[in-house]
Amino acid sequence: MKVGDLVVFSKAHHTRPGLDYTQSWLGLLVKIVMHEGYPHEYHILWGHGLTAYPSKWINRLSYKPFEVYSGSR
C-alpha cells in the first residue's frame, strides 16, 4: 500500500465478530508512518454512507486489516 491508494477493510478484518459493518467502507490512505523500516501507523480518511472521518491505525494486529481497492491516481 502507498499514500494515495483507495483501501477497504480486508476479509480477515470484516469477518471478525462485530466488525461486519466495516465491509462497505472505502478509505483514502493519506499517510504512512514508518518505524524501523516497517509501517507503524496508517492515517486513513474513511467514507461510508453519508459520513467521512479521519482515523489513525497502529499496526498491532496479527493480520492485515486493509487491502488496496484501487491504485494511486
Side-chain angles (χ1 to χ4, degrees):
M1 290 190 323
K2 59 189 175 297
V3 171
D5 281 347
L6 292 174
V7 296
V8 293
F9 281 101
S10 66
K11 185 175 182 179
H13 183 80
H14 67 73
T15 57
R16 292 186 175 268
L19 297 176
D20 58 329
Y21 66 95
T22 64
Q23 184 174 1
S24 64
W25 290 22
L26 182 64
L28 176 64
L29 184 58
V30 294
K31 182 178 180 182
I32 301 173
V33 177
M34 303 295 283
H35 179 71
E36 296 181 1
Y38 295 96
H40 177 70
E41 291 179 5
Y42 299 99
H43 294 243
I44 301 172
L45 179 60
W46 289 105
H48 57 95
L50 299 175
T51 306
Y53 71 93
S55 70
K56 177 174 72 172
W57 279 76
I58 297 177
N59 189 23
R60 293 188 183 147
L61 300 173
S62 61
Y63 61 90
K64 293 184 178 183
F66 315 113
E67 58 190 49
V68 174
Y69 176 76
S70 177
S72 295
R73 297 187 238 171

